[in-house]
Amino acid sequence: MAAPMSWRRFVHSVYTPALAGVFTRISDRLFRARDRRGGSSVLLLAPLLAEADPAPRRVSRPTGSAGAQGTDGLCSHFRWMAEHVPAFRVPGTHIHILSSPDQFYQTMKARIKTAKRRVVMASLYLGTGQLEQELVDCMEEALQRSQDDSVSPDLKVSVLLDYTRGSRGQINSRTMLLPLLQRFTSQMRVSLYHTPDLRGLLRLLVPQRFNETIGVQHIKVYLFDDSIIISGANLSDSYFTNRQDRYVLLENCREVADFFSDLVEAVGDVSLQLQPDDSVTMLEGMVHPYKGNRQDFSAVARDRIMEVMNTAHVRQQLLNRLEDSEDEGEEDTWVFPLVQMKPLGIQVDEQVTQRLLTDAGPDSTVFLTSGYFNLTRAYMRLVLGAGASYRILTASPEVNGFFGAKGVAGAIPAAYIHIARQFYNQVCRLGQQERIHLHEYHRSQWTFHAKGLWYYLQGQDRPCLTLIGSPNFGYRSVHRDLEAQIAIVTDNEELQSQLQEEQEMLYRRSSEVSDSTFERPDRHVKLWVKLVTPLIKNFF
């Protein structure tokens, strides 16, 4: 049974709406637990309400059934993450690693077609080719089915894209979605995030092709009812065919899906809203990103987004304590969402990543990959100064997404050769060649866009932790763009094996970098490229 109405009224009279929702949900669980055990739910509620007092709170660590399963050792390494972000406990059997662009694409199409309540898509942009049109057609089919099946349609579709990238050219992401918006106005929302840093004279002078270098919405989240794909892949044909990325499907993980749905909604609320006539407006009461005051916009956006983070943080602390007492042994995996939005004053992912790299001792091995190898100075210091062994995978020039591009963009692969050589030389100067190895990904007619890391503890042949999502570990990811990824900590052997297979599959197509690599004629970097490399590091 649900909690009695008198209890619900009391909660809503004392707490803010956000916290009231938390306590109502928890009390419902407790009353169900009372029915199962025949005990008093009031006694069970007492410690929870005491912990929720406004007095300084002690952040709980992930414990409980995971410890009973043997994950307590893992939690001792990574429990500190719960101090920074919400900690979601899920069954490892509900997490599936997707291995190819086609599997990613087909999974999205199938999930969209069968969605009943919500489809939430967050990406840098939506491409304009046939494969992208088929994805839009799947949304249309699902929306039409919803209207046919119910007098009051339940399915809602929300799309969050970057304004600059999504508006480029006469045929663009906006024109791809306009027919849906015009036909299903009450069920469809398209939000276009605009960085507050592109404004005034800068906005007028920077060419359309390069205005996204100032900052973009870079989160890649694809959500269907209670299942969600976290990835670094955009909604574009190459990401569906021959651009290698990483993708993880969390199936029937409602609390994780709710969090990311709320996060995308929050970013959407401070974004420009696409209208059926292709105009854009702001929601009432919101500060305009480039016409309004820069500080005011950032403050409003930060408050709106951190409300989602903080509410989920409190809710998960309380739910995790409750689940500890219920000893739900199948939930052997933790999911920690990490968000980085430094233009808005949010740097959670940066803090957690730095701590993770700092704590990586001699007893661990880290496999780290980025399609654009451009570690921030802080990350580089930690990698060079840590005790862990590192295997770093980056794109060879031929699989760099800018290979063969026209104009200045065509020099980007050479700039990354220069960055890699500088890093390699520093490793050698410090005598760290046995600990830090640099690899290049090779694959004919493909490009490489995978990012993240896999963390192996001493004596373990499978990783117990992975980071997966949109960040690249570079300057842009940390300082300019909106990013999100998840840390997955698991004791589930099947999931660990999936992560190991994913890591080995990517590294199998690589070769290790040595002195001779940079002596090859195709690795010669022109002087002017070396001179502009610091600029490229900051903007690409």
Side-chain angles (χ1 to χ4, degrees):
M1 63 177 287
M5 288 306 298
S6 57
W7 164 250
R8 290 176 180 269
R9 283 194 295 269
F10 169 74
V11 168
H12 283 270
S13 67
V14 174
Y15 295 100
T16 64
L19 284 177
V22 172
F23 287 121
T24 299
R25 186 174 178 184
I26 291 171
S27 63
D28 285 347
R29 282 199 181 201
L30 289 171
F31 277 91
R32 286 195 295 269
R34 181 198 63 183
D35 293 341
R36 289 197 300 268
R37 293 192 283 250
S40 169
S41 56
V42 175
L43 292 177
L44 288 171
L45 266 174
L48 292 184
L49 291 174
E51 293 280 321
D53 191 80
R57 55 183 175 81
R58 178 176 57 85
V59 179
S60 65
R61 68 176 181 88
T63 56
S65 65
Q69 293 274 321
T71 9
D72 197 43
L74 293 182
C75 289
S76 68
H77 279 83
F78 307 115
R79 70 182 65 171
W80 53 268
M81 288 190 192
E83 300 171 6
H84 299 273
V85 297
F88 298 96
R89 196 157 67 184
V90 303
T93 53
H94 287 200
I95 300 180
H96 312 284
I97 303 300
L98 310 181
S99 60
S100 71
D102 182 65
Q103 189 181 15
F104 166 60
Y105 179 59
Q106 298 301 336
T107 300
M108 279 199 300
K109 288 174 63 178
R111 299 285 171 153
I112 291 172
K113 288 181 180 179
T114 58
K116 292 180 173 59
R117 293 186 296 108
R118 61 184 174 186
V119 172
V120 179
M121 311 283 275
S123 185
L124 175 62
Y125 68 104
L126 171 69
T128 59
Q130 181 58 39
L131 294 180
E132 297 93 323
Q133 184 59 55
E134 290 180 17
L135 206 62
V136 173
D137 292 343
C138 290
M139 297 183 205
E140 181 180 21
E141 179 182 329
L143 287 164
Q144 184 59 58
R145 186 194 66 246
S146 175
Q147 285 194 346
D148 293 342
D149 290 350
S150 173
V151 176
S152 177
D154 293 324
L155 179 65
K156 303 292 184 183
V157 175
S158 177
V159 180
L160 171 66
L161 304 172
D162 181 69
Y163 178 90
T164 56
R165 189 63 184 270
S167 303
R168 183 191 295 176
Q170 289 187 335
I171 302 175
N172 51 41
S173 304
R174 293 163 63 165
T175 59
M176 290 288 289
L177 293 168
L178 276 175
L180 288 186
L181 193 60
Q182 292 163 353
R183 184 177 173 189
F184 304 99
T185 306
S186 64
Q187 294 174 263
M188 185 83 183
R189 181 189 190 188
V190 179
S191 304
L192 302 168
Y193 175 83
H194 192 295
T195 176
D197 293 325
L198 183 63
R199 55 175 49 237
L201 193 60
L202 184 66
R203 192 172 190 272
L204 295 174
L205 295 179
V206 177
Q208 189 179 68
R209 187 183 178 193
F210 295 105
N211 57 13
E212 67 176 276
T213 61
I214 307 302
V216 295
Q217 190 304 112
H218 201 243
I219 297 169
K220 320 295 173 58
V221 168
Y222 310 110
L223 191 153
F224 325 96
D225 290 338
D226 294 334
S227 298
I228 181 172
I229 295 175
I230 306 291
S231 180
N234 289 302
L235 298 175
S236 182
D237 56 358
S238 63
Y239 292 90
F240 306 151
T241 53
N242 63 345
R243 188 159 172 77
Q244 184 64 58
D245 215 301
R246 298 181 65 208
Y247 338 82
V248 60
L249 169 65
L250 288 78
E251 194 162 24
N252 296 323
C253 296
R254 180 164 188 170
E255 290 169 355
V256 181
D258 286 347
F259 169 83
F260 277 101
S261 178
D262 292 344
L263 177 66
V264 172
E265 181 180 4
V267 177
D269 284 349
V270 300
S271 301
L272 294 155
Q273 307 300 306
L274 184 64
Q275 303 300 311
D277 63 356
D278 199 27
S279 64
V280 292
T281 61
M282 292 296 295
L283 293 179
E284 186 177 354
M286 291 297 173
V287 180
H288 198 283
Y290 63 87
K291 294 180 180 178
N293 180 273
R294 168 69 171 81
Q295 286 71 31
D296 289 347
F297 173 82
S298 294
V300 170
R302 179 174 59 252
D303 290 348
R304 177 71 183 88
I305 292 162
M306 288 308 299
E307 178 187 8
V308 173
M309 294 287 294
N310 293 334
T311 300
H313 199 179
V314 172
R315 179 178 64 240
Q316 290 310 121
Q317 288 176 28
L318 299 177
L319 290 180
N320 289 337
R321 290 171 186 170
L322 172 60
E323 289 169 354
D324 289 346
S325 66
E326 293 181 351
D327 194 26
E328 298 177 9
E330 66 169 0
E331 294 183 337
D332 51 12
T333 299
W334 293 93
V335 175
F336 302 92
L338 310 176
V339 176
Q340 182 74 10
M341 303 176 178
K342 211 160 192 176
L344 309 180
I346 300 171
Q347 51 194 88
V348 177
D349 179 68
E350 179 185 10
Q351 293 168 346
V352 171
T353 301
Q354 286 188 6
R355 172 73 181 273
L356 189 64
L357 298 180
T358 300
D359 289 355
D363 61 343
S364 58
T365 300
V366 177
F367 288 79
L368 184 151
T369 181
S370 175
Y372 303 106
F373 180 64
N374 176 22
L375 296 180
T376 65
R377 291 180 180 178
Y379 291 164
M380 190 173 295
R381 282 197 300 268
L382 292 172
V383 170
L384 293 172
S389 297
Y390 277 87
R391 303 292 186 271
I392 299 172
L393 177 62
T394 186
S396 64
E398 297 78 14
V399 299
N400 185 295
F402 290 95
F403 186 74
K406 297 179 181 179
V408 177
I412 293 175
Y416 280 104
I417 293 174
H418 185 52
I419 294 169
R421 182 165 194 168
Q422 289 178 317
F423 177 78
Y424 178 79
N425 289 342
Q426 198 165 359
V427 169
C428 294
R429 279 197 302 271
L430 295 171
Q432 300 289 327
Q433 302 95 311
E434 295 301 313
R435 188 177 65 82
I436 303 173
H437 300 261
L438 190 60
H439 299 255
E440 288 185 341
Y441 184 89
H442 305 273
R443 195 170 184 180
S444 178
Q445 304 301 313
W446 281 60
T447 56
F448 184 70
H449 198 249
K451 71 260 310 180
L453 64 76
W454 301 262
Y455 193 110
Y456 290 73
L457 291 175
Q458 183 181 31
Q460 301 291 322
D461 57 1
R462 294 186 295 257
C464 60
L465 176 147
T466 191
L467 297 183
I468 181 169
S470 65
N472 279 301
F473 304 106
Y475 185 90
R476 280 205 61 159
S477 287
V478 172
H479 295 280
R480 294 189 179 278
D481 299 338
L482 305 193
E483 307 277 10
Q485 64 178 339
I486 56 174
I488 301 174
V489 178
T490 185
D491 192 49
N492 183 283
E493 293 186 0
E494 181 183 347
L495 179 54
Q496 288 182 348
S497 294
Q498 288 187 61
L499 292 170
Q500 178 193 12
E501 291 168 9
E502 178 197 33
Q503 177 260 303
E504 291 179 347
M505 176 195 73
L506 293 175
Y507 280 73
R508 200 176 297 128
R509 293 185 177 274
S510 74
S511 61
E512 186 168 350
V513 170
S514 64
D515 291 324
S516 62
T517 302
F518 300 108
E519 302 302 324
R520 290 162 42 183
D522 63 339
R523 300 306 172 93
H524 174 71
V525 180
K526 296 177 181 179
L527 177 60
W528 75 268
V529 175
K530 293 179 181 179
L531 293 176
V532 301
T533 292
L535 189 66
I536 290 175
K537 289 176 70 173
N538 287 346
F539 289 95
F540 291 90

